[in-house]
Amino acid sequence: MPTSFTVVPVEAQGEERQRDGQQREEEDEGDERDRCTGDGISRESSPFINCAELGRGSMYEGKNMALFEEEMDSNPMVSSLLNKLANYTNLTQGVVEHEADEDSKRKEVKGPRMGTFIGVYLPCLQNILGVILFLRLTWIVGTAGVLESFIIVFMCCACTMLTAISMSAIATNGVVPAGGSYYMISRSLGPEFGGAVGLCFYLGTTFAGAMYILGTIEILLTYISPSAAIFKVTDAGEETEAMLNNMRVYGTCIVILMAIVVFVGVKYVNKLALVFLACVILSIIAIYAGVIKTAFDPPDFPICLLGNRTLSKRSFDVCAKFTESNNETKTTPLWLLFCDSSLLNATCDEYFSLNNVTEIQGIPGIMSGVLTDNLWSAYSEKGSIVEKKDQPSLAGSEESKMGGLPYVFTDIMTYFTMLVGIYFPSVTGIMAGSNRSGDLKDAQKSIPTGTILAISTTSFIYLSCIVLFGACIEGVILRDKFGEAVNGNLVVGTLAWPSPWVIVIGSFFSTCGAGLQSLTGAPRLLQAIARDGIVPFIQIFGHGKANGEPTWALLLTVGICEIGILIASLDSVAPILSMFFLMCYMFVNLACAVQTLLRTPNWRPRFKYYHWTLSFVGMSLCLALMFICSWYYALIAMLIAGCIYKYIEYRGAEKEWGDGIRGLSLNAARYALLRVEDGPPHTKNWRPQLLVLLNLDNEQLVKHPRLLSFTSQLKAGKGLTIVGSVLQGIYLDKCTETHKAEENVKALMGIEKTKGFCQIVVSPNFRDGISYLIQSAGLGGMKHNTVLMAWPQSWKQAENHFSWKNFVDTVRETTSAQQALLVAKNIDLFPTNQERFTEGNIDVWWIVHDGGMLMLLPFLLRQHKVWRKCKMRIFTVAQMDDNSIQMKKDLQMFLYHLRLNAQVEVVEMFENDISAFTYEKTLMMEQRSQMLKQMQLSKNEREREAQLIHDKNTASRSAPAVEASVAAAVPEKVQMTWTKEKFVAEKHKNKDSNVSGFKDIFNMKPNQSNVRRMHTAVKLNGVVLNKSQHAQLVLLNMPGPPKNRKGDENYMEFLEVLTEGLDRVLLVRGSGREVITIYS
């Protein structure tokens, strides 16, 4: 498990007082010693130093690298590293917004509130028992056979039932406002999925309205009033084109009429729905009654067959070649259709001459045993003749042209998957109730009950009708899509009792009602998506009338519906609808499964009869049906949904709905964090995971925005970035400032395109806050390994809160935490993300081996377009005893193995005497440091005097406290009794000591260690300036701070001298492990 420990100082104030007292004592005692030993490390003497205990034997040893001498144990010289190149190894070394707020923004919709029966059950029943049941189900049974038709219907009904169970669980897990299925999907899977699937479902619902309207016109012009057609058939072969044009004209008129009805109000749609549904129920009852009647009195619907071929009775009325009348044989109208004259010796079609004309009953009845003939499928090609299987037939020697002959032809090629696509829209009405959830009294109760009851009812009707149709109706009639063999009657109407007109009128009103329900639900779905604001370009459709009716959404719906009507082919529209509906159902099941498996605390549905396995099976079945219906339509639908998803992700509003996808992401993140917790990453996987330390001003604004620019250039969106800052104070008092600072930092991160996390820490002490960030930022294996900070330009100013002490302590802490450190000097001169360097160099000065950080950083920077055209140069330093030629060859070979392109140059630094300039600069540095110490002591003494006077005034009340205070304040042993004479004597004593201290400053000599370090800084700075003064960026090994803390201020001066005169400098300090490897 991930663990995180933070070292927090306890009783900080008391410890600070004690530490200050001890520090003063140590400084007083060690001043004389420091003048000789500097930082306490005596290694050599100098001509400018008079220390008796030091010998003259090793006078100039290692002066050039004295600045890095304390690092040599862990960070070897580059020359030593290159000598051991053969032993190079890549082994790791030890070193929201609440949903109620959204709902409150929605305009309150005041309208009729409906219950389960009228609000959910009836709309679902109407949409399910629509056009397919009356116009296509008999044809599907005849083509696929009873067994395969049963499989088709059972698969589709099982799919919708499983989806309804999942939908019921989601609908009862909280309030479902207007939007129904869209609302459920978006709140469960997020705005991207919700918007994509919601818009696809909206398109499917809108085109479903067009399909129902086309079915209405087909019933009107084919079965009710064929004479009402505007475009008449004049020539053979124009029937299809004329029918399509009639459907376009009538469809446009009907969609406008329905839009007016919906615009007037949803309550009128519901009132009309009762009338329409009554007709549907009567029609279904008539079917069952007709089935019962066929058991003892089958209806008389004769079918005329020529051989085994079915004849269309639209052009003749007598099923015979000729008739006998008054002992005279006369030819019939059928004869004239196959022969060239009415004479008996006329030339006739060969098949007509060889085969007899027979007449059989189209509906033999449920007891006839015709079910066995209809069990199996009879798929056919487009334009083939509908034939009776067991009827005798003689084929002619040469098939003549069949065009114009009164046969019943198939209009499309049939196969199993095509029938699935055509049938599935008949079960897609299950969302009719949930789409109107905003109009329900109690959506949580009504949606599950009404939807599952409607699916159960319609599934029983469909499955029973398949068996009954196959048991009662002759196969050739079932395969006759438009009833041409039964005088143009609706096939299912021939079975009904008491009259076929019951079915014709009932189916007409059923399709009208389903169309109205689609035009009612689709605009509300679009309105719900628009009001959420996740798709910017459709927000206008969220507006409506004062009572909330979606006026603009209705206009768009009518326009899209008109497109479907202009297509004018019911069989072409149905498979497309199947894709959109199946995709919506698939994501409803996915939403339920995800929520159940994640076990989110808010997942508490009132509907208990669900399980994640049922949702998973439903989702798999939906996906399988999509590709069964049409694999290319499925891919197109997924592409459309994917485009909408990416658009919402790119342009849509940011929404936090506590969705399941976010829960999945959190689970995946937790799993990944647990996996990477085991140990440090391999060298090949190492990349800088940055903790960026920012400084904020009094307005909580970032002082150095270029630091974030440099971060984005270095990271390029990869790896972990934590941007941290510290506010000084108490969190309870700084809560408002903390939120403001976090907002400002996040806003700047967005502007600079810095992908990462923001962490603001409030601490009583600025130094401790930095320590907290270094220790505790990140989580588990996703912790930073590199700290990036800006060089404190005003470190010499005492009032700067990020003083040199804080900086040096930060350097020490990163080293202790085995983290790399990057210090950007002159950060305000660094380029922004919009700048481009067209030329220039990135110079790397490789003094000591730091694990390869200096090699890796330029490579990462050059991946960004700001630095892409800069060339990389690597400089290293050779000493007197180094072979510079061999070093260059070894370094070039090393870079070759690292696959890095860079120019290599070895700079020779020869031993020479320490210059007077170096001696003078060191002396000035130490004098300044000593003067500051004396000033600080004087300040402390003044504070001590004020404290003593205060203690004198309060001595009568707290004598023990006064004595303890005096004892702690005065370094020497004093008497416990306080008198005026002692106070005056103490005051004069302190003044005398201060004066003598200032006199000693001008008589002091610099210590040897500081002179050696200053010599290194001055000489190395000269070499760097000579080679890299005009470089775009200089990367340099950062020497570590002295082990003796008394030399911290001198350390800052060394770094200042080392980088003097350079525009952009990045001081790099490695983490103590290898970060780059030559191995694959």
Side-chain angles (χ1 to χ4, degrees):
M1 295 293 292
T3 56
S4 180
F5 296 96
T6 304
V7 180
V8 181
V10 181
E11 299 179 1
Q13 295 179 349
E15 289 185 7
E16 281 184 5
R17 292 197 191 100
Q18 187 175 2
R19 187 167 61 245
D20 289 341
Q22 294 175 355
Q23 184 176 355
R24 282 195 301 272
E25 293 177 4
E26 292 172 0
E27 289 171 354
D28 292 337
E29 295 171 1
D31 283 344
E32 188 65 31
R33 184 179 69 249
D34 288 346
R35 293 189 184 100
C36 280
T37 62
D39 293 327
I41 306 172
S42 58
R43 297 201 178 188
E44 63 186 10
S45 61
S46 169
F48 304 103
I49 301 171
N50 295 320
C51 289
E53 71 273 17
L54 296 176
R56 297 268 180 179
S58 56
M59 186 177 294
Y60 299 106
E61 182 182 354
K63 289 193 296 292
N64 286 333
M65 293 296 110
L67 198 58
F68 301 91
E69 62 186 5
E70 292 186 352
E71 323 250 339
M72 296 302 177
D73 295 334
S74 57
N75 296 335
M77 289 291 297
V78 174
S79 56
S80 303
L81 172 77
L82 294 176
N83 288 334
K84 300 176 181 178
L85 183 60
N87 298 323
Y88 185 82
T89 176
N90 66 338
L91 297 177
T92 56
Q93 297 182 3
V95 201
V96 175
E97 66 191 319
H98 195 273
E99 195 61 51
D101 298 333
E102 290 289 313
D103 294 338
S104 65
K105 296 176 185 177
R106 295 187 175 90
K107 194 176 291 184
E108 186 66 26
V109 180
K110 297 181 180 179
R113 298 291 178 174
M114 298 167 289
T116 302
F117 186 74
I118 192 173
V120 180
Y121 182 75
L122 295 187
C124 288
L125 215 60
Q126 274 185 311
N127 277 266
I128 296 172
L129 298 175
V131 62
I132 302 296
L133 172 64
F134 301 111
L135 296 184
R136 295 292 184 268
L137 189 58
T138 54
W139 173 70
I140 292 174
V141 173
T143 304
V146 173
L147 293 179
E148 292 186 26
S149 299
F150 195 90
I151 293 173
I152 291 173
V153 175
F154 182 80
M155 278 196 309
C156 296
C157 291
C159 176
T160 54
M161 179 60 77
L162 293 172
T163 303
I165 292 173
S166 299
M167 183 182 68
S168 300
I170 299 173
T172 57
N173 189 52
V175 179
V176 180
S181 56
Y182 155 72
Y183 185 91
M184 290 185 287
I185 295 173
S186 62
R187 268 52 175 186
S188 298
L189 295 179
E192 293 87 0
F193 277 108
V197 180
L199 284 177
C200 287
F201 186 60
Y202 163 75
L203 293 174
T205 307
T206 305
F207 277 104
M211 185 186 72
Y212 293 132
I213 293 173
L214 292 175
T216 303
I217 303 165
E218 183 178 317
I219 295 170
L220 176 66
L221 297 181
T222 305
Y223 306 114
I224 296 179
S225 178
S227 61
I230 298 174
F231 297 91
K232 304 294 183 180
V233 179
T234 55
D235 298 325
E238 293 183 356
E239 297 88 349
T240 303
E241 187 64 29
M243 184 64 180
L244 293 179
N245 289 330
N246 285 322
M247 295 183 82
R248 292 185 180 106
V249 174
Y250 276 96
T252 303
C253 297
I254 291 179
V255 74
I256 293 173
L257 181 63
M258 287 185 175
I260 294 173
V261 174
V262 173
F263 180 77
V264 170
V266 69
K267 61 180 180 180
Y268 298 105
V269 175
N270 295 320
K271 290 179 179 179
L272 290 172
L274 292 175
V275 178
F276 295 153
L277 188 62
C279 297
V280 174
I281 294 174
L282 287 176
S283 301
I284 295 173
I285 292 174
I287 293 173
Y288 285 109
V291 170
I292 296 173
K293 183 176 180 294
T294 61
F296 53 88
D297 185 15
D300 183 24
F301 277 99
I303 305 170
C304 190
L305 299 177
L306 177 61
N308 64 350
R309 298 177 178 178
T310 309
L311 297 177
S312 172
K313 298 186 72 174
R314 292 181 183 272
S315 304
F316 63 95
D317 53 357
V318 178
C319 184
K321 293 183 179 180
F322 39 79
T323 57
E324 295 286 341
S325 177
N326 298 325
N327 294 325
E328 183 181 356
T329 301
K330 295 182 178 179
T331 57
T332 61
L334 179 61
W335 179 278
L336 292 175
L337 293 174
F338 287 91
C339 303
D340 57 359
S341 70
S342 59
L343 300 176
L344 292 175
N345 59 354
T347 302
C348 298
D349 179 77
E350 184 179 5
Y351 187 86
F352 181 78
S353 303
L354 293 175
N355 292 278
N356 295 324
V357 176
T358 57
E359 196 172 54
I360 61 173
Q361 280 297 324
I363 303 179
I366 195 171
M367 306 300 292
S368 63
V370 73
L371 178 63
T372 56
D373 297 333
N374 294 328
L375 281 177
W376 312 109
S377 61
Y379 300 117
S380 59
E381 298 290 331
K382 180 180 179 180
S384 60
I385 302 173
V386 177
E387 299 177 342
K388 184 172 172 57
K389 298 177 184 177
D390 56 353
Q391 191 74 9
S393 173
L394 295 175
S397 58
E398 184 178 344
E399 293 293 332
S400 59
K401 187 177 180 181
M402 296 181 184
L405 299 179
Y407 294 125
V408 177
F409 296 98
T410 56
D411 61 336
I412 56 175
M413 184 177 67
T414 54
Y415 44 92
F416 179 82
T417 57
M418 185 269 293
L419 295 180
V420 175
I422 290 179
Y423 173 76
F424 189 83
S426 67
V427 296
T428 56
I430 65 170
M431 294 288 188
S434 64
N435 285 344
R436 301 162 70 227
S437 55
D439 299 318
L440 299 174
K441 291 179 183 177
D442 186 0
Q444 292 193 38
K445 179 182 178 182
S446 299
I447 290 176
T449 307
T451 304
I452 292 177
L453 281 178
I455 293 174
S456 302
T457 304
T458 54
S459 298
F460 172 78
I461 292 173
Y462 280 129
L463 293 171
S464 61
C465 282
I466 286 174
V467 178
L468 295 177
F469 291 163
C472 296
I473 305 175
E474 183 62 50
V476 290
I477 297 297
L478 290 173
R479 292 190 291 278
D480 183 5
K481 183 186 289 187
F482 301 106
E484 296 180 17
V486 285
N487 299 318
N489 284 307
L490 185 61
V491 173
V492 70
T494 60
L495 182 62
W497 180 87
S499 169
W501 285 99
V502 176
I503 298 295
V504 172
I505 299 300
S507 61
F508 178 78
F509 284 117
S510 169
T511 50
C512 282
L516 276 174
Q517 295 293 343
S518 296
L519 290 180
T520 302
R524 281 163 172 72
L525 178 60
L526 181 63
Q527 185 184 45
I529 300 173
R531 284 185 173 178
D532 269 338
I534 60 173
V535 186
F537 69 86
I538 65 168
Q539 289 188 7
I540 187 175
F541 300 108
H543 306 295
K545 294 194 296 186
N547 64 347
E549 290 294 317
T551 308
W552 292 104
L554 177 62
L555 291 176
L556 180 64
T557 303
V558 171
I560 297 175
C561 191
E562 177 65 20
I563 296 174
I565 289 172
L566 293 177
I567 296 175
S569 174
L570 188 149
D571 294 325
S572 300
V573 174
I576 302 175
L577 302 183
S578 300
M579 295 302 110
F580 290 125
F581 284 122
L582 280 167
M583 183 177 295
C584 180
Y585 298 166
M586 180 178 69
F587 280 100
V588 169
N589 285 295
L590 175 63
C592 182
V594 166
Q595 297 278 29
T596 306
L597 289 173
L598 289 179
R599 296 173 182 168
T600 52
N602 192 52
W603 180 246
R604 303 183 300 274
R606 286 200 177 97
F607 181 81
K608 301 298 182 184
Y609 307 102
Y610 71 95
H611 195 267
W612 70 268
T613 53
L614 294 178
S615 301
F616 184 78
V617 171
M619 180 184 66
S620 304
L621 189 56
C622 290
L623 185 63
L625 285 174
M626 286 180 68
F627 285 92
I628 286 174
C629 294
S630 174
W631 64 269
Y632 47 89
Y633 276 162
L635 293 178
I636 292 173
M638 288 181 174
L639 179 63
I640 294 173
C643 292
I644 299 173
Y645 177 95
K646 296 305 292 183
Y647 174 80
I648 295 174
E649 186 180 55
Y650 179 68
R651 292 292 303 276
E654 299 250 344
K655 297 288 182 181
E656 175 49 60
W657 288 329
D659 51 85
I661 296 299
R662 181 175 174 81
L664 276 178
S665 301
L666 290 174
N667 268 10
R670 182 184 68 88
Y671 177 77
L673 282 174
L674 292 175
R675 288 287 303 274
V676 300
E677 175 70 9
D678 296 334
H682 193 274
T683 305
K684 290 186 289 188
N685 298 327
W686 195 95
R687 67 167 60 246
Q689 317 285 9
L690 291 182
L691 169 61
V692 185
L693 299 179
L694 295 180
N695 292 332
L696 304 179
D697 58 18
N698 295 330
E699 299 296 326
Q700 315 307 331
L701 298 175
V702 179
K703 284 186 177 180
H704 303 293
R706 298 287 178 92
L707 198 60
L708 286 181
S709 302
F710 183 71
T711 302
S712 62
Q713 294 161 20
L714 183 62
K715 299 292 289 181
K718 303 294 190 301
L720 174 70
T721 301
I722 302 174
V723 180
S725 187
V726 177
L727 297 181
Q728 198 163 353
I730 306 300
Y731 182 71
L732 293 177
D733 302 331
K734 294 282 186 178
C735 188
T736 305
E737 289 88 339
T738 302
H739 293 307
K740 181 180 179 182
E742 190 170 350
E743 291 176 0
N744 293 339
V745 172
K746 286 183 177 179
L748 184 61
M749 289 172 67
I751 294 173
E752 299 294 342
K753 298 180 180 179
T754 304
K755 297 180 180 179
F757 307 98
C758 175
Q759 188 169 352
I760 306 296
V761 172
V762 180
S763 172
N765 185 294
F766 190 84
R767 169 70 200 88
D768 292 337
I770 296 293
S771 177
Y772 302 158
L773 281 174
I774 292 175
Q775 293 179 65
S776 61
L779 179 64
M782 286 296 288
K783 291 182 69 70
H784 63 277
N785 55 28
T786 305
V787 177
L788 172 62
M789 59 193 302
W791 171 265
Q793 298 288 353
S794 56
W795 65 272
K796 295 182 180 180
Q797 301 176 10
E799 65 274 9
N800 181 22
H801 69 285
F802 194 81
S803 64
W804 55 270
K805 287 186 177 180
N806 294 335
F807 177 82
V808 178
D809 285 343
T810 303
V811 176
R812 285 195 174 99
E813 288 205 356
T814 56
T815 303
S816 299
Q818 294 183 347
Q819 296 174 4
L821 177 64
L822 309 178
V823 179
K825 192 176 180 188
N826 301 325
I827 185 61
D828 294 327
L829 299 179
F830 276 59
T832 63
N833 290 328
Q834 287 71 39
E835 296 182 42
R836 302 288 184 272
F837 287 135
T838 57
E839 59 182 0
N841 300 313
I842 299 177
D843 286 356
V844 176
W845 283 86
W846 197 19
I847 311 299
V848 296
H849 180 55
D850 57 353
M853 278 285 288
L854 283 170
M855 305 293 164
L856 187 61
L857 292 176
F859 171 77
L860 295 176
L861 279 175
R862 292 180 69 243
Q863 306 300 309
H864 196 274
K865 49 193 173 184
V866 173
W867 306 91
R868 188 166 295 158
K869 294 186 178 180
C870 292
K871 296 180 180 180
M872 180 176 169
R873 298 192 302 180
I874 296 182
F875 298 89
T876 189
V877 177
Q879 298 296 305
M880 281 286 294
D881 52 351
D882 290 330
N883 185 340
S884 57
I885 297 176
Q886 186 61 39
M887 279 183 65
K888 184 173 183 178
K889 291 181 180 179
D890 292 342
L891 183 54
Q892 288 174 338
M893 180 60 66
F894 183 49
L895 293 177
Y896 175 78
H897 287 305
L898 289 177
R899 291 90 64 200
L900 294 176
N901 295 322
Q903 299 178 16
V904 175
E905 187 170 343
V906 177
V907 179
E908 295 180 347
M909 289 181 62
F910 300 108
E911 297 281 348
N912 56 5
D913 293 338
I914 296 176
S915 65
F917 170 77
T918 301
Y919 175 77
E920 183 180 357
K921 198 169 185 64
T922 308
L923 182 61
M924 291 175 59
M925 176 189 73
E926 292 195 354
Q927 287 177 346
R928 176 181 175 277
S929 177
Q930 190 67 22
M931 187 178 298
L932 289 175
K933 285 182 181 180
Q934 293 292 345
M935 292 173 63
Q936 184 67 25
L937 287 175
S938 300
K939 180 181 178 183
N940 292 340
E941 293 297 339
R942 289 196 300 271
E943 292 174 354
R944 190 185 311 168
E945 291 175 10
Q947 181 66 33
L948 292 175
I949 295 172
H950 177 266
D951 291 342
K952 176 186 176 184
N953 295 332
T954 58
S956 60
R957 291 177 300 208
S958 55
V962 172
E963 292 174 359
S965 175
V966 172
V970 182
E972 296 182 3
K973 184 177 180 181
V974 297
Q975 297 182 13
M976 302 305 293
T977 304
W978 187 259
T979 62
K980 181 177 181 181
E981 291 76 10
K982 285 186 173 57
F983 174 75
V984 174
E986 179 69 18
K987 182 176 179 182
H988 285 293
K989 174 188 174 185
N990 291 334
K991 289 183 178 179
D992 294 340
S993 65
N994 288 340
V995 172
S996 62
F998 279 110
K999 290 180 180 179
D1000 291 340
I1001 292 176
F1002 301 102
N1003 298 326
M1004 64 184 295
K1005 292 184 179 181
N1007 64 58
Q1008 58 164 351
S1009 180
N1010 288 341
V1011 172
R1012 288 168 43 242
R1013 292 166 189 264
M1014 183 63 75
H1015 176 70
T1016 300
V1018 170
K1019 192 167 184 181
L1020 196 55
N1021 174 256
V1023 173
V1024 173
L1025 277 178
N1026 183 40
K1027 298 289 185 179
S1028 304
Q1029 188 170 10
H1030 302 292
Q1032 301 292 5
L1033 179 65
V1034 176
L1035 283 83
L1036 189 64
N1037 279 119
M1038 180 179 180
K1043 294 178 181 179
N1044 190 332
R1045 291 176 177 268
K1046 294 180 182 178
D1048 286 357
E1049 189 176 8
N1050 299 337
Y1051 170 71
M1052 296 294 292
E1053 193 72 42
F1054 295 145
L1055 294 182
E1056 194 76 63
V1057 172
L1058 180 64
T1059 57
E1060 191 174 1
L1062 299 173
D1063 289 339
R1064 303 183 192 93
V1065 183
L1066 187 65
L1067 294 171
V1068 180
R1069 184 162 172 77
S1071 61
R1073 57 159 294 166
E1074 297 292 336
V1075 300
I1076 194 168
T1077 176
I1078 63 175
Y1079 299 107
S1080 59

